[in-house]
Amino acid sequence: MSTPVNILIADDHSVVRAGLRALLERQGRFRVVAEAGTGEEAITKAQELRPDVAVLDVRMPGVSGIEACRQIIATVPGCKVIILT
C-alpha cells in the first residue's frame, strides 16, 4: 500500500470541512491531518504539520484563502494548494 496523501482542510463552515473530510477519507488514499476555520489557522497548521495538500476556501474571515495560499506556498516547501469557492 502506498503512503497516504496528507491533507489540510480550511473553510469557515464546519459542515463543509466535515463533508470534505468524509469524502476524502472514504477513498483510503487520503488522510486529513488538520482542519482550520480561518486563514490564519490554516497557515499556522500548514507550517506546523507540513501537509502534502492544503484545500482552502477562497473566502474566510481575516486572512483570505488567496493570502493563505501565498503564505503556505512560500513557507511550506512541496505543499500543493487547491482553492475552493
Side-chain angles (χ1 to χ4, degrees), residues 7-8 10 53-58 65 69 79-84:
I7 300 174
L8 162 72
V53 177
V55 179
L56 309 175
D57 181 18
V58 73
C69 174
C79 183
K80 307 298 183 205
V81 178
I82 297 171
I83 299 278
L84 298 178

Side-chain angles (χ1 to χ4, degrees), residues 21-34:
R21 176 186 282 268
L23 286 171
L24 291 167
E25 289 184 339
R26 220 178 272 157
Q27 301 304 312
R29 264 193 82 201
F30 306 113
R31 178 174 52 201
V32 176
V33 295

